[in-house]
Amino acid sequence: MSKLLQLFSTMTISCLLAFAVQAGPIDTYTFPDEVTKKRFNELTYELRCPKCQNQNLADSNSPIAQDLRKEVYDMLIDGRSDGEIMTFMVERYGEFVLYRPRVSSITYALWFGPIVFVLIGGFVVFMFVRRKDDEPEHLSEEQKQQLKSILKD
Amino acid sequence: MKILIRLIPLVLFILLGVLLYRGLFLNPQAMPSALVGKTFPEFSLTRLSNQQQTLSNADFKPGIKLVNVWATWCPSCKVEHPFLVKLSKDKRFSLYGINYKDNRSDAKKWLKFYKDPYQFSIFDDAGRLGLNLGVFGAPETFVVDHKGVIRKRFAGVLEPRVWQREFLPLINTIETEMMQGK
């Protein structure tokens, strides 16, 4: 009985996995070589679908994502560089299409904000800690001995 | 000094809080177009009503142009259509359509049935012009000034309130610029 159950659960899981693999949109593009294929995958992974807002081009099935994937493919076949393709997209859809926005005056806060926050936080913590490890000076020699023996236990 | 250092985290926390709180109420669809301030992209496509006739930028009338992206597969386009028919009577600008990734005969039937508010509709079958305009759906409306520069891009249904608030002031501005000969 338990064997049967195990078999059944294994089958269910493998079915689910099979579906999971097929969940992405299917395009039938043929690539001249593995490098181009890899670049296509990387570009569609890095570019955001303008309509669906929080999916990349590779994941989305919306018509505009299909069009843009086609566009990326055509440009790759055309021999354009990754940078050119990115610029093409940004010129039309704005910085929004980039999941990793470029460093520019409007994205400084985004890029360097976290570092500034960590630095300020570190500074504040440092100021507090430094004050704390001063040894209490108002204790007499006897009291200090007592304190040490208590801490030893 | 001590109190100031203690206050830094609190101040930062409040600033971050305000920023994120404001972010909650932003409309993610209302992203600014990358094309505002650029000239309307070059195109050479057929006229919807006549596939023998090729249209290009030169076919736009001088003056202010309103370019509306529409399609029969787009339910919101049906919603905004009566308002476009009304707008087409305004003499201050001319209204053009881009029939985006649609079927020619369906689109022609639609215009016959619901009235045609456009000077002409560009038949953008493959969505090439749409792509160059950064269109990601329909309906979308662009305001193009007398110099052919895109001044506004609006994604969504054009309705009287939006028109009053966002379009009319811009059209007034462009008219003033035209009068000043800018």
Side-chain angles (χ1 to χ4, degrees):
Chain A
M1 188 60 197
S2 73
K3 273 262 168 69
L4 198 72
L5 205 70
Q6 203 184 357
L7 184 71
F8 179 72
S9 60
T10 321
M11 276 170 63
T12 318
I13 290 171
S14 42
C15 280
L16 283 175
L17 283 178
F19 278 120
V21 170
Q22 284 190 0
I26 305 156
D27 292 320
T28 47
Y29 292 134
T30 45
F31 295 94
D33 51 62
E34 278 304 304
V35 181
T36 316
K37 189 176 178 181
K38 196 164 160 258
R39 282 174 63 206
F40 178 81
N41 288 335
E42 279 170 4
L43 283 166
T44 52
Y45 193 82
E46 279 287 316
L47 288 165
R48 192 205 300 235
C49 162
K51 178 71 188 169
C52 1
Q53 310 271 333
N54 266 325
Q55 273 180 306
N56 52 26
L57 289 185
D59 264 344
S60 170
N61 230 339
S62 74
I64 186 69
Q66 288 170 25
D67 283 3
L68 293 182
R69 277 202 300 274
K70 171 96 174 40
E71 200 60 39
V72 170
Y73 175 78
D74 289 345
M75 283 194 277
L76 279 175
I77 297 300
D78 213 35
R80 309 258 212 115
S81 74
D82 290 6
E84 281 176 319
I85 295 174
M86 289 292 196
T87 310
F88 176 91
M89 293 293 172
V90 171
E91 273 172 2
R92 282 152 185 82
Y93 294 95
E95 290 282 327
F96 181 86
V97 292
L98 304 177
Y99 264 120
R100 257 187 304 171
R102 294 167 174 183
V103 182
S104 74
S105 57
I106 50 166
T107 54
Y108 281 157
L110 211 58
W111 278 101
F112 305 117
I115 302 170
V116 172
F117 270 86
V118 167
L119 284 179
I120 292 172
F123 175 70
V124 171
V125 168
F126 173 75
M127 290 309 258
F128 277 114
V129 169
R130 203 182 56 168
R131 219 153 280 152
K132 287 280 154 60
D133 54 47
D134 290 348
E135 210 175 300
E137 274 159 16
H138 53 276
L139 296 179
S140 69
E141 210 42 52
E142 202 184 334
Q143 282 172 317
K144 280 184 187 168
Q145 286 301 326
Q146 253 180 335
L147 185 64
K148 266 187 191 163
S149 69
I150 293 169
L151 286 175
K152 249 182 220 160
D153 299 333
Chain B
M1 182 62 194
K2 213 177 188 178
I3 202 91
L4 268 177
I5 291 172
R6 272 165 199 270
L7 276 178
I8 291 174
L10 182 69
V11 171
L12 283 181
F13 174 77
I14 292 171
L15 279 177
L16 200 64
V18 169
L19 191 77
L20 295 178
Y21 183 79
R22 286 200 45 189
L24 281 180
F25 300 99
L26 294 179
N27 176 10
Q29 293 288 345
M31 45 182 206
S33 171
L35 280 131
V36 170
K38 294 193 188 162
T39 47
F40 196 85
E42 295 284 324
F43 65 92
S44 173
L45 290 159
T46 60
R47 194 186 181 118
L48 174 67
S49 55
N50 177 5
Q51 63 187 87
Q52 309 300 333
Q53 191 184 343
T54 309
L55 296 166
S56 73
N57 302 54
D59 292 293
F60 285 137
K61 282 186 197 167
I64 305 169
K65 296 154 278 274
L66 221 61
V67 184
N68 176 251
V69 181
W70 66 282
T72 56
W73 48 259
C74 147
S76 322
C77 297
K78 197 182 266 179
V79 177
E80 79 171 1
H81 196 85
F83 188 59
L84 291 178
V85 174
K86 243 181 234 167
L87 283 183
S88 66
K89 296 187 181 84
D90 197 322
K91 293 280 167 262
R92 301 198 292 164
F93 51 83
S94 27
L95 179 62
Y96 300 91
I98 296 177
N99 184 237
Y100 180 60
K101 299 183 75 173
D102 207 348
N103 173 305
R104 196 187 289 266
S105 66
D106 284 355
K108 278 181 172 172
K109 261 183 241 160
W110 159 298
L111 287 184
K112 215 173 201 174
F113 191 78
Y114 293 114
K115 270 193 186 168
D116 185 353
Y118 308 110
Q119 304 281 331
F120 57 72
S121 274
I122 304 159
F123 186 57
D124 189 19
D125 186 18
R128 284 300 316 187
L129 176 58
L131 192 88
N132 284 335
L133 275 169
V135 166
F136 58 72
E140 284 189 23
T141 308
F142 293 83
V143 178
V144 183
D145 70 10
H146 52 297
K147 287 178 179 163
V149 175
I150 297 172
R151 298 291 288 263
K152 181 178 178 59
R153 173 268 185 114
F154 175 78
V157 174
L158 198 53
E159 35 111 12
R161 218 154 39 123
V162 176
W163 179 256
Q164 286 289 341
R165 202 176 44 209
E166 296 185 34
F167 282 78
L168 271 183
L170 177 61
I171 286 173
N172 290 334
T173 314
I174 302 175
E175 280 200 315
T176 330
E177 284 174 21
M178 283 164 74
M179 274 195 289
Q180 288 168 348
K182 273 191 199 165

